[in-house]
Amino acid sequence: MNPTPDDPVPTSDAVDPLDERLSAALDGEPIAGAPGPGDPALDSAAAAARGRALAAARDVLATPPPPLDDVTRRRLLDTARAAGPAPRRDRARWLGPAASVAAVLVAVVLGGWGLIAVLHGSSTSSKSSAAGQGAAAMTTGPLHLRSLGEISNPARLLREVRAELARRPSGDRSSVPGAACRGTVRVPTDVTLEVLARATFHGAPAVVLVGREPPRTLVYVLATGDCRLLSAQFFKG
Amino acid sequence: MPNSPDPRTDEELAQRAGHGDRAALDALLARHLDRIHAVCRRVLGDPDDALDATQEALIAIARGVARFDGRARFTTWMYRVATNAALDEARRRRRRPLPTALDTDSAATADPTAAVDARLDVDAALAALSPAARAAVVLRDLAGLEYSEIATVLDIPIGTVRSRIARGRAELADRMREPGTPSRSPNPSDVATERDPVTAVEPNET
């Protein structure tokens, strides 16, 4: 493990030589070249008492911390599983071209529709033109979601989510793309998820949901198409 | 989730998990979750930080198990991942008060069977050490690793492992000492209170 500039000031590894010898002896790891049994320093009553104290400390250090409850265990394992390895990449490779084909088809359909509308609109009155402008304004109503880019790297996901939370515009997020996915994620009853942004996860289009569970912020990444859970993370703040 | 333990070895499960066997990965993670959490909990001393580090470690194992080459024991690799996650978390977390150290009078009960007091003693004693020193003693006394394995996990010489373990035990022994027993004079350089890692650092992208 290489130190970084942010590492703490290194502490000295200096330790009482007798403690070190007694401690190593407890583990059956004698120090090469050091006096062993029979050495007066080790056989004294004081050394024996110190050895017992170190052994008691060792036993206490072996005390396991309080166990995790079942809900926390499940959440930890589910999140790790969702973040899991290779198979998703294979699927992502397939989803990438498929998503591109779908996007092209949608563009063609919408383009054709727009062309028809333009041709139709050229023969209508100014009144209907004004109505058309009103309709256009309504279609831009839902909040525009920014894309966070590729967020399969947890560090990048964390950074992008924090940045987006800091600058996100206010507005109605109930009808933005991906809002329907909110109901597919199981969260505590007091947590409300909202759609934060769009993104890609291993190339597949995704939507990012966030929810506050003080002192944590929960982050879920779901596939845009079928709301499949791709990643679940949390961070403090 | 089967009720009976999976009879396959860690290495067998890791190999299958590395080839995309989700069930093997699930079994592997479930088998070692408590060990990973215990190490993170003791190294960090804070339950919330420990959960964050445990989550990071589990994800790192899930994503990196394909890179486990089987040359070392799976647990050695796993503890390396877990310890790195805990130390990374220690670097990230913001400065906050260390767990309240037990004062000499209230810590003077030499009854190691008092479980709650013992746990407090462990956290208080470990809080006086740097995270790297904590990791060594935790990997030995809680995880049961050999000195050579700890040296591999922490990437330090065996002599450093030995001295860090001795220092951790000595710190706790002095806190558990009976009233009236003279304590060893502390080595000022060992007291990590003012320099515990609290600089907020974002994880490196890989």
Side-chain angles (χ1 to χ4, degrees):
Chain A
M1 198 170 313
N2 296 324
T4 70
D6 296 304
D7 276 342
V9 177
T11 56
S12 165
D13 285 321
V15 63
D16 185 303
L18 180 60
D19 278 350
E20 187 169 355
R21 287 164 64 187
L22 292 168
S23 173
L26 286 175
D27 296 323
E29 303 252 9
I31 304 173
D39 175 44
L42 287 181
D43 290 343
S44 68
R50 186 62 177 169
R52 286 194 296 274
L54 292 175
R58 175 198 58 187
D59 294 343
V60 171
L61 285 164
T63 309
L68 293 168
D69 62 80
D70 286 344
V71 174
T72 304
R73 285 179 60 88
R74 175 61 52 199
R75 187 171 66 173
L76 289 167
L77 292 171
D78 285 350
T79 302
R81 192 176 295 124
R88 182 174 299 116
R89 273 192 225 109
D90 297 338
R91 194 179 302 171
R93 273 198 288 273
W94 177 83
L95 276 176
S100 300
V101 170
V104 168
L105 285 175
V106 168
V108 167
V109 169
L110 291 179
W113 188 12
L115 182 60
I116 291 170
V118 167
L119 292 174
H120 178 68
S122 64
S123 62
T124 59
S125 66
S126 59
K127 181 179 176 182
S128 62
S129 176
Q133 288 172 6
M138 287 180 65
T139 58
T140 60
L143 195 67
H144 175 69
L145 289 182
R146 216 175 69 84
S147 175
L148 304 183
E150 173 62 42
I151 51 161
S152 51
N153 182 297
R156 180 178 166 84
L157 171 63
L158 177 68
R159 191 173 63 239
E160 292 294 334
V161 165
R162 280 182 164 154
E164 187 64 14
L165 283 170
R167 70 172 166 232
R168 63 177 166 172
S170 60
D172 178 19
R173 291 169 181 262
S174 61
S175 59
V176 296
C181 290
R182 288 181 302 170
T184 65
V185 182
R186 288 171 54 191
V187 293
T189 53
D190 56 342
V191 174
T192 302
L193 290 179
E194 67 170 294
V195 183
L196 179 69
R198 296 178 292 115
T200 58
F201 193 88
H202 290 303
V207 61
V208 181
L209 309 182
V210 294
R212 285 286 297 148
E213 186 188 31
R216 298 160 188 263
T217 297
L218 310 177
V219 182
Y220 296 92
V221 181
L222 292 92
T224 303
D226 57 6
C227 297
R228 184 167 36 88
L229 181 64
L230 301 175
S231 177
Q233 309 272 345
F234 58 85
F235 63 86
K236 288 197 181 72
Chain B
M1 186 71 67
N3 291 327
S4 57
D6 194 311
R8 291 173 288 183
T9 66
D10 290 340
E11 286 70 24
E12 288 170 335
L13 288 172
Q15 187 178 31
R16 294 196 63 84
H19 286 89
D21 184 337
R22 291 291 186 132
L25 177 63
D26 289 351
L28 201 57
L29 294 179
R31 179 182 289 179
H32 292 292
L33 171 57
D34 288 333
R35 293 182 181 89
I36 293 168
H37 172 255
V39 166
C40 293
R41 174 70 177 79
R42 284 289 184 244
V43 170
L44 289 162
D46 176 85
D48 289 336
D49 289 345
L51 283 181
D52 287 349
T54 302
Q55 186 70 84
E56 290 299 322
L58 291 173
I59 290 173
I61 290 169
R63 289 180 173 165
V65 70
R67 294 194 298 272
F68 172 67
D69 56 15
R71 282 183 294 181
R73 287 201 303 168
F74 173 78
T75 49
T76 303
W77 179 76
M78 176 195 78
Y79 280 125
R80 185 180 187 113
V81 173
T83 306
N84 284 343
L87 295 176
D88 285 347
E89 179 65 24
R91 293 188 189 98
R92 273 197 299 268
R93 69 188 180 186
R94 293 184 178 282
R95 182 176 291 275
R96 56 172 167 258
L98 292 168
T100 305
L102 297 179
D103 58 63
T104 305
D105 293 337
S106 61
T109 167
D111 177 10
T113 62
V116 174
D117 286 347
R119 280 199 289 269
L120 290 174
D121 276 344
V122 174
D123 284 338
L126 292 176
L129 303 172
S130 71
R134 267 178 250 165
V137 75
V138 166
L139 288 172
R140 174 60 205 171
D141 289 337
L142 186 63
L145 268 59
E146 303 291 338
Y147 283 21
S148 58
E149 289 178 295
I150 299 170
T152 300
V153 167
L154 298 179
D155 200 15
I156 55 177
I158 283 187
T160 306
V161 171
R162 184 168 50 232
S163 62
R164 287 181 179 177
I165 291 171
R167 191 148 43 88
R169 289 172 176 169
E171 180 70 33
L172 183 56
D174 288 343
R175 286 176 179 273
M176 292 169 59
R177 72 186 184 277
E178 294 184 46
T181 303
S183 64
R184 294 176 179 278
S185 52
N187 180 343
S189 63
D190 291 347
V191 181
T193 304
E194 294 304 319
R195 57 173 97 84
D196 239 7
V198 285
T199 309
V201 178
E202 298 304 324
N204 295 325
E205 288 191 29
T206 54

